[in-house]
Amino acid sequence: MLNRAGIYGDEGLWIRKAYREGILKRSITAVLRPGDRSNPSDYTHIRQGVPVVVRFIVAPGEAKVGQPGNLMPDDGTTVIRTKCIVKPIKDVTEEDLHGCAPDHATPELVRYHLAVTYNTALPSWDDVVTIWHFEYAPNAIE
């Protein structure tokens, strides 16, 4: 039984269940995260060109580095990051967001997506976001 990237801080993408269908259908090919996550020494960074585990969150909560997440079983979903875009929300384009889920497919929706996802006030247009584009790798089986 697979159990990859089950600890917060392991390299992987933890994604909410609402986006599971898009990931399984492979129609989502980009994800958005708050802040600049381009620093390779930061635990939130996703490396380019290497297989990355995708896990689905059962219920959102306060994740702590080094602690297990409340995740669905590992179904083998694996992606490879192809591009990283880091810029203020005000400079994000619809082209940058191509492949994201519909609830943040436009720059105007990005602020609302982040506020709902992270349970915060609306971010400023000057807040920086990271957009990772990826392609799908074959599902892991062991």
Side-chain angles (χ1 to χ4, degrees), residues 29-47:
T29 57
V31 294
L32 175 88
R33 297 292 189 263
D36 180 347
R37 299 192 183 195
S38 63
N39 181 347
S41 64
D42 189 315
Y43 76 92
T44 64
H45 179 73
I46 298 295
R47 295 177 292 154

Side-chain angles (χ1 to χ4, degrees), residues 75-136:
D75 66 4
T77 302
T78 306
V79 298
I80 298 172
R81 194 195 96 198
T82 57
K83 183 169 37 169
C84 178
I85 299 168
V86 178
K87 57 174 68 171
I89 296 169
K90 68 183 178 192
D91 295 334
V92 170
T93 67
E94 287 190 26
E95 183 179 324
D96 296 333
L97 297 167
H98 180 75
C100 285
D103 70 329
H104 52 290
T106 68
E108 293 76 21
L109 291 173
V110 165
R111 294 172 67 223
Y112 291 94
H113 166 77
L114 291 171
V116 169
T117 299
Y118 295 97
N119 195 28
T120 65
L122 281 177
S124 163
W125 285 99
D126 293 320
D127 285 0
V128 172
V129 294
T130 299
I131 305 162
W132 288 314
H133 289 260
F134 54 83
E135 59 189 28
Y136 287 88

Side-chain angles (χ1 to χ4, degrees), residues 31-75:
V31 294
L32 175 88
R33 297 292 189 263
D36 180 347
R37 299 192 183 195
S38 63
N39 181 347
S41 64
D42 189 315
Y43 76 92
T44 64
H45 179 73
I46 298 295
R47 295 177 292 154
Q48 184 164 329
V50 299
V52 176
V53 177
V54 175
R55 295 294 301 270
F56 298 100
I57 303 167
V58 170
E62 188 75 25
K64 295 185 180 172
V65 175
Q67 297 296 312
N70 188 2
L71 305 170
M72 296 176 71
D74 183 353
D75 66 4

